[in-house]
């Protein structure tokens, strides 16, 4: 033991009514906080956070407001410069209104760095973990300056206490201020009057999931000083790729300020994906090219404006289910030191945290002030930062009332009635790791969902692992079995084959086993349920036949995704064959493993894949029958018996109940353009071409008998994934009623004529 806190801490059994062990630290009483070096005026309890304004006597300053309901005292700490040696001035916030400590400090202007010290009881056995030695980040800080390292000083307890079973109960009195980032006062007078949101309807959306840093880090058309930043994503070279591809929205992996986990820092790694939030109002400072003392806010806004000008919406992947403070052995960075019991779900043994996230803690969303924190953050990103929607990580954890997932929970109820949030795009990752956490298809009508049932079915079909084609039929046609209730529509399903978590599309057809050795976890991390097929060789190979088969499988997967009813989501780089060399959990690989390799666009082996992807997206945009706003009925709407959706066997007959249950590798799907529900903006009926899609996953060619009248008189080939180079539509015509040879592992899209 070396520190004063460690020398003075006396482990031992105290006389408690319940007989539990405890550690007494520095006695039961603590000295009162020192007097303020700077006086504060009363200020106001709203809005929360730090807001620069003019005081009642026309003196400029900043109002500070912090919810810390169970605290005994709160000190605002102002720092006079950057770096660990900055001088600190403390301001006592003496006003307390409904659990909110507040005060107005004259002379504090934008750019000021600050934090809080919060006083209260140290009694981890009851969940009380106040420790004024720890400088805390304002949960409402709109900019953060500095990096989160995790030296022992940033832990509220003595991290290396010899008796680890009670280490979290021993308070560490070392000052953390030199070792933690600070909040920054930001002035915001932007009214967004010059911005035009694209407001793309859900049914017309094509989502592109990307990482701000990884997408731009190697782009040759972006100036080196802007690569890896918000400014880099706003650069015309980055936007030009998105517009050429034809996507309508980017879904950004977390850009809330986040911290790195200690186990990664110990191995010389960092959290690359960012699912470890610590600041819900601040854009992650490391992605800013312009500076970190407030400049990152303006840079993020300029990025949003540039994307909007190109017709591209911005959706944020947000992590409100847990924070970077982890469990009882985690650091004290913000909420844990402000009011641990008020912000986090605790177990009956209040030392421990309820963990529905697998990350050590879970925010207690049922608490009004926690719900307010989340909804204030969401509204801020919409109204002041310009974003168009959110994808909620582990959304089932947010929908839990006391313990069970509840679709009438306070969180979902508040979102449903909020005049700002109910109008933006809301995407749920509809599961968490707790009991009963898998909720695909269960979220209310306002929400769309990541549909992992789609992912599993498409992967299994193309590796010829489905027992029959029932599942595939549902997924291709909008997953009515999951979403046709309560007024939900086909676009409630966000269809995806790959996401940031798991294999890339190229790796899905190149690896059958995960290869996560670089993470330093003995290849134990990441899922083993990849549902992949390596086409005959594990990893990269010089075998020309295997490589050709892999490229064909990529074309099949992309074509299936973009022809399916619902909202398709692509992952950055999949359209040009990006590989992670078999890693299916690259969350800590901030290097070429995760960055988009732009040289692939110039590679003759991979360039055609981008051409096909952009052509398929353009086809989707042109044809409303591929992006329906209502589910298919499967019924005839005219005297000739033509239905809006029909399914065919390879023999050209309509599928019967027996056919759906029979093993099969071939499926024909007819989409009628005559029977599209709804009307256009002029009130006219919506009509379109009709199409027949033939999906054949078998390893040998098959003769598919083309359906005759009333379905069509002939068929013209529009897409043929058996062809390496697509170019313009092949256009070859085939008479109805005749057999068409479909090569092994091929998708054909045919336009019905006559």
């Amino acid at each position: 033991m070396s520190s004063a806190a460690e020398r003075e801490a006396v482990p031992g059994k105290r006389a408690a009514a319940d007989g539990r062990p405890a550690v007494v630290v520095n006695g039961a009483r603590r000295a009162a906080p020192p007097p303020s070096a700077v006086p504060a005026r009363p200020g106001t309890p709203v809005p929360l956070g730090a807001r620069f304004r003019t005081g009642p006597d026309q003196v400029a300053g900043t109002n500070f407001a912090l919810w810390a309901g169970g605290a005994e005292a709160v000190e605002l700490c102002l720092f006079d410069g950057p770096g660990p040696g900055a001088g600190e001035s403390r301001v006592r916030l003496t006003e307390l209104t409904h659990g909110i400590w507040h005060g107005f400090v004259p002379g504090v202007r934008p750019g000021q760095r600050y934090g809080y010290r919060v006083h209260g009881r140290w009694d981890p056995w009851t969940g009380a973990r106040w420790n004024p030695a720890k400088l805390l980040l304002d949960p409402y800080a709109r900019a953060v300056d500095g990096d989160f390292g995790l030296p022992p000083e940033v832990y509220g307890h003595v991290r290396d206490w010899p008796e680890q079973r009670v280490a979290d109960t021993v308070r560490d009195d070392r000052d953390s201020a030199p070792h933690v980032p600070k909040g920054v006062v930001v002035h915001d007078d932007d009214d967004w009057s010059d911005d035009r949101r694209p407001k793309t309807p859900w049914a017309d959306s094509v989502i592109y999931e990307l990482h701000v840093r990884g997408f731009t880090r190697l782009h040759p058309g972006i100036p080196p000083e802007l690569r890896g930043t918000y400014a880099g994503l706003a650069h015309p070279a980055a936007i030009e790729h998105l517009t050429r591809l034809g996507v309508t929205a980017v879904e950004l992996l977390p850009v809330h300020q986040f911290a790195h986990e200690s186990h990664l820092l110990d191995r010389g790694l960092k959290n690359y994906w960012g699912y470890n939030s610590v600041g819900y109002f601040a854009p992650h400072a490391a992605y800013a090219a312009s500076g970190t003392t407030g400049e990152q806010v303006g840079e993020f806004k300029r990025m949003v404006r540039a994307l909007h000008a190109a017709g591209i919406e911005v959706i944020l992947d947000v992590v409100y289910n847990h924070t970077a403070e982890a469990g009882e052995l985690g650091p004290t960075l913000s909420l844990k030191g402000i009011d641990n019991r008020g912000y986090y779900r605790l177990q009956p043994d209040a030392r421990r945290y309820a963990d529905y996230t697998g990350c050590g803690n879970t925010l207690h969303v049922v608490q009004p002030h926690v719900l307010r924190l989340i909804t204030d953050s969401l509204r801020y990103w919409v109204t002041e930062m310009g974003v168009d929607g959110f994808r909620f990580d582990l959304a089932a954890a947010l929908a839990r009332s006391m313990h069970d997932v509840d679709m009438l929970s306070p969180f979902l109820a508040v979102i449903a009635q909020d005049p700002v949030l109910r109008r933006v795009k809301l995407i749920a990752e509809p599961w968490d790791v707790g009991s009963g956490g898998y909720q695909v298809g269960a979220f209310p009508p306002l929400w769309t969902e990541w549909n992992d049932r789609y992912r599993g079915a498409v992967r299994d079909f193309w590796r010829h692992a489905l027992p029959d084609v029932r599942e595939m039929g549902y997924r291709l046609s909008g997953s009515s079995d999951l979403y046709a209730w309560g007024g939900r529509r086909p676009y409630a399903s966000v269809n995806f084959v790959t996401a940031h978590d798991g294999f890339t599309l190229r790796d899905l057809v190149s690896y059958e086993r995960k290869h996560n050795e670089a993470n330093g976890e003995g290849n134990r991390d990441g899922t083993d349920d990849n549902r992949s097929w390596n086409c005959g060789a594990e990893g990269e190979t010089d075998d020309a036949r295997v490589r050709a088969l892999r490229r064909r499988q990529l074309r099949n997967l992309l074509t299936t995704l973009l022809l399916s009813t619902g909202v398709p989501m692509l992952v950055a780089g999949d359209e040009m064959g990006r590989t992670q060399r078999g890693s299916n959990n690259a969350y800590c690989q901030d290097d070429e493993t995760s960055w988009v390799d732009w040289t692939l666009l110039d590679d003759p082996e991979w360039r055609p894949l981008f051409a096909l992807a952009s052509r398929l997206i353009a086809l989707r945009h042109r044809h409303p029958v591929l992006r329906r706003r209502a589910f298919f009925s499967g019924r005839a709407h005219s005297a000739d018996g033509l239905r809006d959706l029909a399914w065919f066997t390879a023999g050209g007959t309509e599928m019967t109940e027996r056919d759906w249950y029979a093993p099969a590798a071939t499926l024909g799907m007819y989409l009628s353009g005559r029977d599209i529900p709804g009307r256009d903006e002029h009130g006219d009926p919506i009509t379109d071409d009709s199409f027949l899609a033939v999906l054949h996953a078998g390893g040998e060619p098959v003769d598919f008998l083309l359906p005759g009248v009333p379905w069509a008189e002939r068929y013209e080939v529009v897409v043929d994934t058996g062809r390496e180079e697509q170019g313009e539509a092949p256009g070859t015509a085939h008479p109805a009623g005749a057999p068409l040879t479909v090569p092994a592992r091929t998708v054909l899209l045919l336009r019905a004529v006559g």
Side-chain angles (χ1 to χ4, degrees):
M1 294 186 292
S2 58
S3 72
E6 291 168 329
R7 288 193 300 269
E8 293 175 15
V10 181
K13 306 284 185 179
R14 76 174 168 185
D18 55 11
R20 62 193 175 194
V23 175
V24 180
V25 182
N26 296 332
R29 301 175 63 86
R30 296 185 311 280
S36 296
V38 180
R41 299 177 183 177
T44 62
V46 291
L48 289 165
R51 291 294 176 125
F52 175 73
R53 62 179 177 83
T54 301
D57 53 1
Q58 302 305 304
V59 174
T62 299
N63 191 83
F64 294 89
L66 176 75
W67 186 92
E72 297 172 1
V74 172
E75 292 177 290
L76 168 68
C77 305
L78 305 174
F79 295 86
D80 61 9
E88 176 184 348
S89 300
R90 301 190 185 185
V91 182
R92 287 285 303 279
L93 299 183
T94 58
E95 301 296 321
L96 179 61
T97 305
H98 305 308
I100 298 172
W101 301 78
H102 54 92
F104 177 82
V105 185
V108 171
R109 307 186 67 85
Q112 174 68 58
R113 300 161 75 245
Y114 74 100
Y116 289 106
R117 298 183 187 273
V118 181
H119 298 255
R121 293 187 306 111
W122 175 264
D123 186 10
W125 297 101
T126 62
R129 293 183 179 272
W130 284 283
N131 185 344
K134 308 306 166 184
L135 186 76
L136 307 174
L137 183 68
D138 180 3
Y140 280 74
R142 293 185 290 162
V144 176
D145 181 48
D147 295 323
F148 279 100
L150 293 178
E153 290 84 353
V154 306
Y155 290 79
H157 65 281
V158 179
R159 188 182 183 190
D160 54 354
W161 186 253
E163 296 183 55
Q164 279 292 299
R165 68 182 183 84
V166 292
D168 68 289
T169 68
V170 184
R171 196 182 74 190
D172 187 311
D173 287 337
R174 289 172 290 188
D175 186 7
S176 71
H179 309 283
V180 294
K182 281 74 178 176
V184 180
V185 177
V186 175
H187 182 43
D188 189 356
D189 57 358
D190 194 337
D191 63 3
W192 288 87
S193 60
D194 60 337
D195 181 65
R196 295 294 179 268
R197 294 177 184 263
K199 297 182 179 179
T200 307
W202 259 125
D204 301 339
S205 297
V206 178
I207 297 173
Y208 188 77
E209 187 192 45
L210 67 82
H211 189 287
V212 168
R213 178 169 167 79
F215 183 73
T216 60
R217 183 66 181 81
L218 298 177
H219 198 301
I222 298 174
E225 66 274 14
L226 301 183
R227 295 174 188 170
T229 69
Y230 306 119
L233 183 53
H235 192 273
I239 292 178
E240 190 265 346
H241 179 81
L242 300 172
T243 55
R244 279 179 59 205
L245 184 58
V247 299
T248 67
V250 291
E251 182 176 304
L252 306 183
L253 266 69
V255 295
H256 287 167
Q257 186 71 41
F258 62 85
H260 307 291
E261 295 91 330
S262 60
H263 69 92
L264 292 178
L265 296 174
D266 291 344
R267 298 200 299 271
L269 300 171
K270 291 185 177 180
N271 187 316
Y272 170 70
W273 286 348
Y275 291 90
N276 206 37
S277 299
V278 72
Y280 290 132
F281 290 76
H284 189 60
Y287 299 159
S290 54
T292 61
T293 55
E295 297 88 351
Q296 62 265 54
V297 178
E299 184 176 331
F300 185 94
K301 293 179 181 180
R302 291 189 292 274
M303 176 197 73
V304 172
R305 278 188 168 87
L307 289 163
H308 282 179
I312 298 170
E313 294 184 303
V314 178
I315 298 171
L316 302 188
D317 196 335
V318 290
V319 188
Y320 294 111
N321 55 78
H322 76 279
T323 75
E325 293 185 299
E328 61 270 14
L329 296 177
T332 298
L333 307 174
S334 183
L335 305 181
K336 185 180 287 186
I338 294 172
D339 194 324
N340 185 57
R341 296 178 298 187
Y343 280 106
Y344 291 115
R345 290 180 180 266
L346 303 179
Q347 296 184 23
D349 172 3
R351 269 181 66 193
R352 316 297 182 190
Y353 293 76
D355 184 8
Y356 297 110
T357 67
C359 300
N361 64 52
T362 306
L363 280 181
H364 202 348
V365 180
V366 174
Q367 297 281 12
H369 47 275
V370 180
L371 189 57
R372 178 180 179 181
L373 170 67
I374 295 172
T375 54
D376 282 354
S377 168
L378 292 169
R379 282 189 293 269
Y380 172 77
W381 286 97
V382 174
T383 60
E384 298 193 43
M385 301 296 273
V387 307
D388 305 285
F390 305 93
R391 179 265 187 189
F392 292 82
D393 180 66
L394 300 182
L398 299 173
R400 290 183 181 270
S401 291
M402 294 311 295
H403 300 289
D404 295 334
V405 178
D406 178 7
M407 291 304 158
L408 298 175
S409 67
F411 172 74
L412 295 178
V414 166
I415 295 290
Q417 60 79 42
D418 189 284
V420 172
L421 301 180
R422 68 189 182 201
R423 297 181 180 179
V424 302
K425 287 184 165 66
L426 301 172
I427 306 171
E429 183 183 35
W431 52 77
D432 64 20
V433 302
S435 176
Y438 187 76
Q439 295 289 325
V440 172
F443 274 71
L446 189 65
W447 291 74
T448 65
E449 301 175 14
W450 271 25
N451 186 354
D452 71 328
R453 293 274 298 273
Y454 180 94
R455 174 181 60 186
V458 172
R459 289 186 178 195
D460 282 345
F461 179 81
W462 284 111
R463 68 188 182 108
H464 202 187
L466 286 177
D468 52 51
V469 292
R470 286 176 295 156
E471 184 83 1
M472 196 63 176
Y474 275 122
R475 304 307 148 233
L476 289 170
S477 59
S479 296
S480 60
D481 58 328
L482 300 175
Y483 302 111
W485 62 273
R488 302 190 83 180
R489 302 295 183 91
Y491 47 77
S493 176
V494 174
N495 298 331
F496 66 105
V497 179
T498 58
H500 65 275
D501 187 0
F503 282 150
T504 67
L505 202 66
R506 176 173 166 183
D507 289 355
L508 190 66
V509 301
S510 305
Y511 296 88
E512 292 188 5
R513 302 183 304 276
K514 64 187 181 184
H515 296 268
N516 299 338
E517 291 82 4
N519 293 354
E521 299 176 35
N523 205 34
R524 294 184 300 273
D525 60 303
T527 183
D528 292 314
D529 183 22
N530 295 299
R531 304 191 185 194
S532 58
W533 177 47
N534 63 20
C535 297
E538 184 72 2
E540 296 301 308
T541 178
D542 294 328
D543 189 317
R545 290 188 304 170
V546 171
R547 294 167 74 97
L549 176 56
R550 288 175 177 176
R551 293 194 300 274
R552 178 176 291 204
Q553 287 290 80
L554 289 180
R555 296 193 294 273
N556 290 334
L557 290 163
L558 269 179
T559 302
T560 303
L561 175 64
L562 291 167
L563 295 182
S564 298
T565 299
V567 179
M569 184 185 80
L570 298 168
V571 178
D574 274 356
E575 75 277 15
M576 55 180 115
R578 183 176 77 88
T579 177
Q580 293 180 169
R581 299 290 188 262
S583 172
N584 73 354
N585 191 34
Y587 77 105
C588 56
Q589 299 301 317
D590 187 7
D591 54 26
E592 288 84 354
T593 303
S594 300
W595 302 339
V596 172
D597 179 4
W598 293 96
T599 66
L600 294 168
L601 281 179
D602 299 320
D603 188 330
E605 185 173 14
W606 299 108
R607 186 172 54 237
L609 189 65
F610 175 82
L612 174 63
S614 58
R615 184 165 167 263
L616 286 166
I617 293 174
L619 186 74
R620 186 180 182 91
H621 288 324
R622 286 198 305 271
H623 291 287
V625 73
L626 299 177
R627 43 188 173 83
R628 289 173 57 100
R629 288 163 167 76
F631 287 105
F632 296 98
S633 69
R635 296 189 297 271
H637 295 280
S638 57
D640 59 12
L642 192 69
R643 291 189 294 281
D644 60 357
L645 174 68
W647 302 96
F648 291 90
T649 67
T653 60
E654 288 192 64
M655 292 186 67
T656 65
E657 188 78 7
R658 180 187 298 271
D659 293 324
W660 283 111
Y661 284 85
T666 309
L667 183 63
M669 178 176 66
Y670 184 93
L671 306 173
S672 172
R674 292 195 331 194
D675 302 305
I676 302 175
R679 294 183 292 174
D680 65 18
E681 60 185 5
H682 304 292
D684 298 324
I686 299 174
T687 59
D688 193 12
D689 293 331
S690 297
F691 292 94
L692 175 66
V694 179
L695 295 83
H696 175 52
E700 300 294 333
V702 66
D703 286 336
F704 191 96
L705 191 65
L706 297 174
V709 176
W711 309 104
E713 295 178 358
R714 68 181 190 278
Y715 295 88
E716 295 178 350
V717 177
V718 178
V719 175
D720 178 357
T721 64
R723 295 163 51 94
E724 188 82 44
E725 297 279 352
Q726 293 289 311
E728 293 300 314
T732 305
H734 299 273
L740 172 64
T741 299
V742 182
R745 302 186 179 93
T746 295
V747 179
L748 293 179
L749 181 67
L750 307 141
R751 180 183 288 109
V753 180

